[in-house]
Amino acid sequence: MPMKYIYEQPIFVKTIGMAHGLLFIGYILLAIMLKIEEKWEIKKFAIICIASVIPFGTFYIEKKYLRNA
């Protein structure tokens, strides 16, 4: 968003927003695949998915849950 207002170019929002959205969808799809493959409990899966919407939450999840996955 700051780039949109600093450079007055709304194209940055489209480009970076699209990449961000695709990465988010990829993260959720990979979490679903790992849930199935690793037979995760629903609680662990829910925590991993919720962390995807908290800023920098994925770094915490990787350190706590995914090091041994």
Side-chain angles (χ1 to χ4, degrees):
M1 284 299 290
M3 294 173 76
K4 175 183 175 183
Y5 296 109
I6 292 170
Y7 298 113
E8 298 178 5
Q9 295 291 326
I11 192 70
F12 288 121
V13 175
K14 284 186 176 182
T15 307
I16 295 171
M18 176 65 78
H20 184 268
L22 290 173
L23 288 171
F24 175 77
I25 291 169
Y27 179 86
I28 296 298
L29 289 175
L30 288 172
I32 292 168
M33 291 169 57
L34 277 170
K35 181 195 181 312
I36 294 167
E37 187 175 316
E38 298 290 325
K39 297 177 179 61
W40 286 345
E41 296 176 7
I42 193 72
K43 180 182 176 183
K44 183 176 184 178
F45 176 68
I47 290 170
I48 288 171
C49 288
I50 290 169
S52 68
V53 296
I54 299 170
F56 304 107
T58 55
F59 294 110
Y60 168 77
I61 291 300
E62 181 180 354
K63 184 176 182 179
K64 177 145 176 128
Y65 289 99
L66 301 179
R67 285 286 177 197
N68 299 325

